[in-house]
Amino acid sequence: MTAATFTSPLPQVTKEWTLSFLGGFDPSALIVLSLSIIAGVIWTWRALDPSMPLRIRLSIAALRTFALLLAFAMLLQPTLRLRASTFNPARVAVLLDGSGSMRRGVDGPRLDKAIAMASRMGEDLKRRGSAVEWYCFTDELQAISDPKGAAGCAFESRGTDLRTAIAKTVANENRVTPLSALVVLSDGADTTMATGNRESDLSGWASTIGAPINTIAVTGASARRDIAVAEARTDRIAFTRTPTSILVSLSAVGANGESVEVHLLRDGAVVRRGNCEIVDGAGRLTFSFTPISIGEHVLEVALSPTHQDEIPENDRTFLSLSALRDKYRVLHLAGRPSWDQRFLRGTLKDWPKMDLVSFYVLRSELQSETHGSSGMVLIPFPTEELFASHLPEFDVVIVQDLDLVAVGIDQYLPRISEFVQQGGGLVYIVGPAGLPPTISADEAMHAILPFVPLPVGAATVAFETAAFRPQILPNGRNHPLLALAQDTSETQQVWQSLPQLEGLARVARLAPTALALAGHPSLFVEDGPAPLFTVRDVAQGRSLAITTPSLWRWGFSGPMTGGPSHAYSGFWHRAIAWLTKDASLDRLKLLVAPNPAKMGGTAVIEVEVLDEAYQPIATAPVEIAVTWTNSDKSRGVHEVKQSTDGQGKYRFEWMPTIPGPHKLTVVAPSQNMQSQSEFLVLPSSEEVQHLEPRTELLEALAKDSGGTFQQDTAQMGKLAGLADSRNRVVSSRDLSLWSHPVTILLLLAVLGAEWLLRRRSGLW
Amino acid sequence: MQANGAFDPPVLCATNTRRGFLRAAALGLLGAAWPGKRAKASSSGLEVDLPQIAYAGGNWQPYPTAMRRLAWELHKRTLVNTALEPSEIKPTAAMLSRTPLAFLCGDRGFTRFSAEAVEALSRFVRLGGTLVIDSATTPDGEARAFDRCADELLASVLGETPLTPIASSHVLYRTFYRIDRPMGRIEGPAFMEGAEKDGRLCVIRSRHDLGGALAKDNLGNWLAEVIPGGERQREQAFRLGINIVLYALCLDYKNEEPHRRFSNSAQ
């Protein structure tokens, strides 16, 4: 806040003497003292010889009486006090609301009316001798020299904050004398207090200010009918598949009792509709929104397009949330109970972020026919329900030792392929019998598996049962799937301490674009070592194949014999994160800060490019495009073509030109990678959502602080606190009469005179 | 048990008769000598083995064919890839690490397990293994002595984790067959006991002489009579054995919603 300029007439100094007694006796003590003096005088008279001349006796008695009275007076400690004081006129702070809403109005800017009223008020206050401080405020406070200064009141404004403006005015340290009163000229369109909650927000606060707040509502002619989306709030962090609440507040003029349709939109498409009834100029509505995908979600809350009012700019607002994955939904299909299936199940079930649905085939059709189903609790494999209806609800499907064709799922293989290509994750784990022969003939599975199966009737042994210690292949050295420890050397140590695996299914070769991360140390396929872990990016999804059924030994045999205890669970946690494209494992990382960005500020956009082995790529070309929709519905774009630095990063600052949702697209052509994100640019001010006057807030302020409320008029006689002119003591000086030397000399003189008279009269 | 190249003297767990003590001591001395020779484990983790723990100082295999019989029934009735020749294992970390399921059977008292063996069993149940204890009631056995020794061993292995009755609603009784009550060669108590770690039964204790109902002699005849329910009860015992193995493999799979729905509708 800048220093206030005070205007004040020259002070007139007045002096005043007052007599006061500092003895501090209470009335009973005074009565006792008085009676003692009277008794002393009587006793003195009676003690004198009656034969003495009357003149002598009267003189002695008078001197004694005078001495006693003088002593009594000294006990009372009489003091003369000289007070010099000045006359202080009332000190009044006048605050003019210079926010955006005040610069609007159906019949001209409200601020013009406020300035005119304040100018008249200023002259009147001057005539009364009041000292006036002038301020202009929005969500900040600025001292001005006169009311007209409010018109040019220029600072970055994000809204209107009445409480802060008043508190800062009262706390002005440049002021010597306290304020007698405040006068606030505003439309009350505060942006910091929720619509409909203002009275409770202010409860008790205004009474602590210490001076009456006189509020003058400057409203002018209002819009005949306007409904605004005053606010839309939600938690910044949400979780996928978990409903989150979006609280919408509407403010309205001329629409009481109306029901208005409100839409929640994403990418321009309505995702929720709701009706909100306007009561006392406000309405509230809660939307439930369930993010499906992880990442930034920019949402729009808007009144139905059919709605029409006089201020359409405030009919919508934006908000953004960041959706994290709360749980991984995994479908675990196993062709038979096995230790590999059991430990995988145990690990997934022990993971709090896991929502696991399992179907295990416990017996074959032949067994079913041979032994019947008496006393059993087996349910038929719900193939149609799972694959025709519920497959898209899962993040990852694990197919373990299951011959999909044999259990009648072959008709749904295209669905599984489509699931992966549209962003799902697939884990394929072979069983003790190796790959089922039927897989070799299935084209849908070929499209998503990271390996090409051996052809039916191939001469190669399809399943090697011997134990082996797998080796990490070059593509696996930095891959997060195999990062069993913090760094690569530690990972290598952990890898060496893992127990041997048993059994490896042979494949023909890797599928196109697939990577082998680990393999057999001595067996080979067409294009390299016989793979143990193979991964593949398949359109939007990913697949992972594990060609041994003994990985469970990492979870049990290893820890039993002193090996690493978290290698197995850690592997599966990373595998699920990688398959579901957890942002922390992305190879093309995007960052926008701050998010949401704000108009008038800069947003930092950072891109990081990693290779398939998760090493930073230096000098990798990146093409970055920020896109948005302009107010005229045209498409805005800001494009950057640059290369990454030695850390594989490129960052730049960008200043948004329009508030609203923005999309960020980054392409790393050398890596054939593309990534998208979205972010919100907030308007620099929330004023547009709070354009209509709110007089109830101003009324509440005045009432709580002991001030008065007026609307569109400023009658000086009604303003509280202006008559409170105060005398301020400038100096004060005390003259103690009881301890003055003259008083003491006088007492000694009286006592001496009595003593002398007594001596001359022959007494004592 | 062998430690530091020398035999520990056999320490017997609670045996309350002089005859029992002498017999256990003699068996202990004999037993200390052989486990290294006879114990063997399945070499493949690709099969589901049903190994019995070979221990010293008692009768660790009251029914030598019982596990083989159970393995065969599992192979016949389910898709579990069972090792048809169940192995014998010593209670060492190395041997217990080969398979996450182990059976401890007996019909009399046995030598107290060494600290290393107790520690290995403790790690076994903590890391995901399932230990099944079955008390056999052979004509010349002392099932109570076995029970006391097993109790003492479990107290050391489980620490603070208590052994409690397994409720009849537990998924163990629904994991393949629906079982109303546990039964073996004898009817026994209406419940089995179990100890849970992380929501999983890591120890299952039967006092129903389950092995007695499963075992056959070399000519293919049932080794022991099943009382009081006869062959129907024997089938119930097989079903219980199959459920125990399926529970060790599938855990609470049958508690998942679709199965619960089916189970409820079937009741």
Side-chain angles (χ1 to χ4, degrees):
Chain A
M1 187 184 70
T2 53
T5 306
F6 303 143
T7 57
S8 173
L10 288 173
Q12 296 174 331
V13 179
T14 57
K15 291 184 178 179
E16 182 185 12
W17 287 95
T18 54
L19 176 64
S20 45
F21 296 92
L22 307 180
F25 291 102
D26 57 26
S28 58
L30 288 174
I31 291 168
V32 170
L33 279 172
S34 303
L35 291 174
S36 302
I37 290 167
I38 293 168
V41 171
I42 294 171
W43 176 78
T44 301
W45 180 257
R46 295 184 63 146
L48 292 172
D49 186 358
S51 62
M52 290 176 68
L54 180 62
R55 179 178 50 84
I56 297 299
R57 283 192 289 154
L58 282 172
S59 297
I60 290 172
L63 285 168
R64 175 64 60 89
T65 303
F66 189 68
L68 287 171
L69 287 173
L70 199 56
F72 177 63
M74 287 176 74
L75 282 173
L76 293 178
Q77 299 180 20
T79 303
L80 275 176
R81 177 167 288 171
L82 173 64
R83 293 160 64 98
S85 59
T86 58
F87 171 77
N88 281 303
R91 180 163 291 279
V92 182
V94 182
L95 288 77
L96 286 100
D97 183 347
S99 65
S101 62
M102 287 289 285
R103 295 170 195 272
R104 290 167 174 263
V106 174
D107 53 349
R110 294 169 199 142
L111 185 58
D112 291 353
K113 297 182 180 66
I115 290 172
M117 275 192 281
S119 298
R120 288 195 295 275
M121 190 190 304
E123 288 170 12
D124 204 336
L125 286 169
K126 195 174 177 182
R127 280 198 297 276
R128 288 165 177 255
S130 299
V132 184
E133 300 172 20
W134 298 101
Y135 297 95
C136 173
F137 73 94
T138 54
D139 58 345
E140 293 182 35
L141 183 71
Q142 183 178 349
I144 50 178
S145 56
D146 58 55
K148 288 177 184 167
C153 183
F155 41 83
E156 283 296 329
S157 161
R158 291 172 295 277
T160 305
D161 187 349
L162 269 163
R163 276 187 300 197
T164 301
I166 292 170
K168 282 186 175 177
T169 301
V170 173
N172 188 344
E173 291 176 352
N174 295 329
R175 189 182 300 120
V176 179
T177 53
L179 286 173
S180 307
L182 292 94
V183 181
V184 177
L185 293 99
S186 169
D187 56 8
D190 189 283
T191 59
T192 63
M193 286 176 265
T195 306
N197 255 0
R198 289 169 171 166
E199 288 79 357
S200 59
D201 285 346
L202 279 173
S203 180
W205 176 81
S207 61
T208 64
I209 291 300
I213 303 170
N214 300 289
T215 55
I216 297 171
V218 186
T219 59
S222 295
R224 285 185 297 278
R225 184 177 182 282
D226 177 57
I227 301 175
V229 181
E231 190 176 35
R233 280 189 297 163
T234 188
D235 290 334
R236 175 77 185 111
I237 301 295
F239 295 97
T240 53
R241 297 196 179 88
T242 304
T244 188
S245 294
I246 295 170
L247 308 175
V248 179
S249 299
L250 304 183
S251 59
V253 173
N256 258 350
E258 282 189 29
S259 179
V260 58
E261 185 174 316
V262 186
H263 294 173
L264 179 70
L265 304 98
R266 184 163 190 231
D267 288 335
V270 177
V271 292
R272 288 281 185 282
R273 294 168 198 269
N275 284 298
C276 180
E277 192 171 346
I278 305 296
V279 178
D280 292 336
R284 289 188 164 222
L285 176 68
T286 302
F287 283 119
S288 177
F289 175 69
T290 306
I292 299 300
S293 57
I294 56 171
E296 285 295 317
H297 289 60
V298 177
L299 301 168
E300 179 183 354
V301 174
L303 303 182
S304 163
T306 57
H307 168 83
Q308 288 189 338
D309 61 24
E310 294 186 15
I311 309 176
E313 303 99 285
N314 58 19
D315 288 357
R316 66 175 188 162
T317 190
F318 294 94
L319 70 158
S320 70
L321 56 86
S322 181
L324 307 178
R325 188 182 302 279
D326 67 328
K327 293 212 171 205
Y328 297 104
R329 278 184 61 82
V330 171
L331 175 62
H332 184 193
L333 307 172
R336 69 176 71 230
S338 67
W339 293 127
D340 212 30
Q341 155 267 319
R342 177 254 177 270
F343 278 90
L344 176 52
R345 174 181 179 79
T347 294
L348 297 179
K349 288 285 285 185
D350 286 346
W351 196 7
K353 292 184 77 170
M354 180 57 55
D355 190 357
L356 183 68
V357 175
S358 320
F359 285 97
Y360 305 151
V361 184
L362 300 185
R363 64 175 187 164
S364 65
E365 283 291 321
L366 182 63
Q367 287 167 326
S368 174
E369 288 167 11
T370 309
H371 298 282
S373 299
S374 170
M376 289 184 173
V377 285
L378 307 183
I379 63 171
F381 202 90
T383 47
E384 187 176 349
E385 189 182 354
L386 268 181
F387 296 105
S389 308
H390 296 296
L391 195 58
E393 295 170 13
F394 294 98
D395 298 311
V396 175
V397 174
I398 300 173
V399 178
Q400 182 170 28
D401 189 14
L402 178 67
D403 186 344
L404 295 163
V405 178
V407 294
I409 303 178
D410 46 337
Q411 59 177 313
Y412 298 107
L413 293 181
R415 294 276 298 175
I416 296 175
S417 180
E418 187 183 299
F419 163 77
V420 176
Q421 300 199 34
Q422 290 180 352
L426 173 75
V427 182
Y428 190 89
I429 308 172
V430 300
L435 289 166
T438 48
I439 200 169
S440 301
D442 193 83
E443 290 299 323
M445 290 302 283
H446 290 188
I448 52 175
L449 283 175
F451 59 78
V452 176
L454 286 173
V456 178
T460 314
V461 176
F463 193 76
E464 299 283 349
T465 55
F468 66 100
R469 188 174 299 285
Q471 61 171 349
I472 301 178
L473 301 176
N475 283 328
R477 282 187 192 128
N478 293 298
H479 199 282
L481 215 64
L482 303 190
L484 301 180
Q486 294 292 331
D487 56 57
T488 49
S489 63
E490 205 180 332
T491 292
Q492 197 68 38
Q493 286 176 10
V494 172
W495 192 260
Q496 289 303 319
S497 65
L498 291 169
Q500 288 193 323
L501 300 177
E502 295 161 65
L504 186 82
R506 301 286 289 273
V507 299
R509 59 185 176 279
L510 297 184
T513 74
L515 295 176
L517 307 182
H520 197 282
S522 56
L523 296 176
F524 291 87
V525 295
E526 289 174 17
D527 48 2
L532 171 66
F533 299 128
T534 45
V535 294
R536 183 180 177 188
D537 282 343
V538 186
Q540 301 296 311
R542 286 174 172 173
S543 64
L544 159 69
I546 301 173
T547 50
T548 182
S550 61
L551 203 62
W552 66 274
R553 292 224 177 266
W554 287 7
F556 181 73
S557 306
M560 268 301 290
T561 50
S565 57
H566 299 296
Y568 184 70
S569 57
F571 169 81
W572 278 111
H573 291 181
R574 279 188 299 280
I576 299 293
W578 180 80
L579 285 161
T580 53
K581 299 190 173 179
D582 189 294
S584 64
L585 301 182
D586 275 354
R587 288 170 46 217
L588 183 55
K589 297 177 189 288
L590 310 181
L591 178 74
V592 179
N595 192 0
K598 198 155 221 171
M599 283 298 293
T602 54
V604 176
I605 295 173
E606 184 179 283
V607 177
E608 184 180 9
V609 186
L610 304 173
D611 66 13
E612 292 167 330
Y614 282 79
Q615 286 294 311
I617 305 178
T619 65
V622 285
E623 298 169 8
I624 305 165
V626 184
T627 55
W628 63 90
T629 304
N630 289 312
S631 50
D632 60 359
K633 305 294 181 191
S634 64
R635 181 171 174 269
V637 63
H638 177 79
E639 290 178 316
V640 176
K641 288 187 178 180
Q642 279 291 347
S643 295
T644 56
D645 60 14
Q647 306 299 313
K649 292 180 180 177
Y650 173 71
R651 61 184 285 167
F652 68 100
E653 291 187 351
W654 173 70
M655 185 170 278
T657 56
I658 189 167
H662 288 63
K663 284 196 188 300
L664 175 62
T665 307
V666 180
V667 179
S670 62
Q671 296 297 302
N672 195 25
M673 288 192 297
Q674 178 171 329
S675 188
Q676 277 197 333
S677 182
E678 55 187 313
F679 64 97
L680 176 63
V681 176
L682 295 172
S684 61
S685 165
E686 299 170 30
E687 284 289 321
V688 72
Q689 308 304 140
H690 303 266
L691 296 177
E692 279 304 298
R694 301 286 165 197
T695 56
E696 77 279 1
L697 170 64
L698 299 172
E699 277 190 86
L701 269 174
K703 185 181 172 189
D704 286 0
S705 64
T708 61
F709 169 75
Q710 301 178 64
Q711 185 165 351
D712 290 324
T713 179
Q715 295 182 30
M716 297 303 291
K718 289 188 176 177
L719 297 179
L722 296 191
D724 183 23
S725 297
R726 302 170 191 185
N727 286 327
R728 186 168 67 89
V729 175
V730 176
S731 65
S732 175
R733 188 160 62 88
D734 288 346
L735 180 61
S736 298
L737 299 176
W738 62 279
S739 59
H740 200 275
V742 173
T743 311
I744 295 168
L745 285 175
L746 184 61
L747 180 61
L748 290 173
V750 171
L751 291 172
E754 184 192 342
W755 176 77
L756 193 64
L757 193 58
R758 280 176 176 274
R759 292 280 295 182
R760 293 188 61 174
S761 305
L763 294 175
W764 291 355
Chain B
M1 298 290 113
Q2 201 163 15
N4 299 325
F7 290 117
D8 290 337
V11 180
L12 302 178
C13 73
T15 48
N16 59 359
T17 64
R18 190 163 61 95
R19 196 180 64 165
F21 175 83
L22 290 172
R23 184 168 58 198
L27 287 168
L29 285 169
L30 287 171
W34 68 221
K37 294 178 184 171
R38 291 186 58 192
K40 57 177 181 171
S42 166
S43 60
S44 171
L46 305 178
E47 293 178 327
V48 173
D49 189 14
L50 309 179
Q52 277 185 266
I53 295 175
Y55 52 82
N59 180 13
W60 64 272
Q61 203 175 29
Y63 305 107
T65 61
M67 289 302 112
R68 196 184 308 148
R69 194 71 221 160
L70 179 59
W72 172 246
E73 290 297 328
L74 271 164
H75 175 76
K76 205 168 66 176
R77 303 187 195 193
T78 73
L79 275 173
V80 178
N81 187 24
T82 322
L84 295 178
E85 284 296 328
S87 61
E88 310 155 10
I89 55 171
K90 284 195 292 183
T92 63
M95 297 206 84
L96 287 167
S97 73
R98 302 296 304 168
T99 171
L101 176 65
F103 288 82
L104 182 77
C105 308
D107 61 354
R108 62 201 68 189
F110 54 85
T111 305
R112 186 171 289 158
F113 279 37
S114 68
E116 290 80 6
V118 169
E119 169 59 19
L121 277 171
S122 188
R123 286 175 68 81
F124 175 81
V125 296
R126 196 172 63 245
L127 290 169
T130 306
L131 177 64
V132 183
I133 300 177
D134 184 38
S135 307
T137 54
T138 54
D140 59 341
E142 285 184 55
R144 284 186 181 180
F146 174 80
D147 287 343
R148 277 193 296 276
C149 289
D151 285 343
E152 189 181 302
L153 174 65
L154 284 179
S156 306
V157 168
L158 295 173
E160 299 289 314
T161 309
L163 204 65
T164 54
I166 300 171
S168 60
S169 58
H170 196 279
V171 69
L172 171 65
Y173 299 121
R174 287 182 283 112
T175 199
F176 191 77
Y177 289 106
R178 185 191 306 285
I179 292 173
D180 297 327
R181 95 185 283 286
M183 278 192 274
R185 195 190 70 77
I186 59 171
E187 191 174 25
F191 55 86
M192 291 195 295
E193 293 163 288
E196 282 199 355
K197 281 192 188 296
D198 303 324
R200 174 186 66 86
L201 281 174
C202 60
V203 172
I204 298 169
R205 173 83 180 274
S206 155
R207 297 172 195 267
H208 304 81
D209 193 3
L210 187 60
L214 311 181
K216 279 186 171 178
D217 63 18
N218 290 334
L219 299 175
N221 302 313
W222 296 114
L223 201 64
E225 187 187 1
V226 175
I227 49 176
E231 292 313 302
R232 184 182 169 81
Q233 183 175 325
R234 194 185 300 279
E235 170 61 17
Q236 292 300 312
F238 270 108
R239 291 184 173 193
L240 179 62
I242 288 169
N243 267 28
I244 288 172
V245 176
L246 264 295
Y247 174 76
L249 286 163
C250 299
L251 304 176
D252 60 346
Y253 164 59
K254 286 289 180 179
N255 265 351
E256 286 188 11
E257 185 54 32
H259 304 283
R260 291 179 71 88
R261 233 175 21 230
F262 174 79
S263 189
N264 291 338
S265 64
Q267 277 178 347

